[in-house]
Amino acid sequence: RLLNLEGNPVSKEGEYRMYVLAYLHDLTYLDYSLVGKAESVAAREQYQDELLDVEEKEALQDEKMARETAAAKHTCELQEANLAVVETIFEEMFAEDT
C-alpha cells in the first residue's frame, strides 16, 4: 500500500505518477504523499485502454492455466487407474483418418 520511487529515474518521467496509480490502484501512499481516491480514479480513466488490454491478457493466461491444470488432473486420474494409454489412443486412431 506504500511505494516510494523518489530518486528512481522513472520518477522523472512526465506521467509517472498517473501511470503508477493506474496500475497499482490499491496504493495509499506514493512517494511519501497520500493518494486521493479522485486521483486514483482519474489515473485509471486515463489509462483505461491499456488496463483493459492487460486484463484481457491476464484472463487468457488464467484460462490457459486452468485448462492445463484440468488436463494434468485428468492425466493423473488416468494414470492412477492404469489407463494412461487411453488418452492418446483416440488421437492416434483419428490421426490416421485425417
Side-chain angles (χ1 to χ4, degrees), residues 85-96:
V85 74
V86 171
E87 191 167 22
T88 59
I89 196 166
F90 290 112
E91 292 174 9
E92 292 172 1
M93 286 173 51
F94 290 117
E96 295 174 4

Side-chain angles (χ1 to χ4, degrees), residues 56-79:
E56 288 175 7
K57 288 178 185 176
E58 288 176 351
L60 289 173
Q61 289 175 343
D62 291 344
E63 289 175 20
K64 181 181 176 186
M65 184 66 77
R67 284 193 307 271
E68 290 173 355
T69 301
K73 181 181 176 186
H74 181 70
T75 300
C76 284
E77 289 171 351
L78 288 174
Q79 287 175 344

